[in-house]
Amino acid sequence: MAPKVAKGKGKAGKGSKGAEDASVTKRVKVWSTWAMKKAKVVAHYGFIPLIIVIGMNSEPKPHLSQLLSPV
């Protein structure tokens, strides 16, 4: 009995331009989604510390307790 050869679906010719474009498009979408997820996490956890650092570098130089107290 001869082994069966699996046939691929779709039109996959040699050097198919459409397949390359689809691959590049998919990679760009995946990369942009990944980058936006990372940017969301950085913005979420980095915003308050950024404001504290900016406040500590302003004139007059406040202490950390003065920055964090509501008064």
Side-chain angles (χ1 to χ4, degrees):
M1 189 183 260
K4 293 184 179 182
V5 178
K7 293 183 180 180
K9 292 184 177 180
K11 298 178 183 178
K14 289 184 179 178
S16 176
K17 202 67 159 161
E20 265 183 44
D21 291 343
S23 175
V24 171
T25 303
K26 184 174 180 178
R27 287 182 187 174
V28 169
K29 286 182 181 179
V30 168
W31 182 86
S32 63
T33 302
W34 176 85
M36 290 304 294
K37 285 182 181 179
K38 297 299 177 187
K40 181 180 175 183
V41 171
V42 168
H44 182 80
Y45 289 107
F47 183 73
I48 298 299
L50 175 68
I51 299 301
I52 291 172
V53 168
I54 290 172
M56 290 183 75
N57 290 331
S58 64
E59 290 294 329
K61 298 264 185 204
H63 295 286
L64 184 61
S65 60
Q66 291 174 327
L67 283 175
L68 298 178
S69 68
V71 179

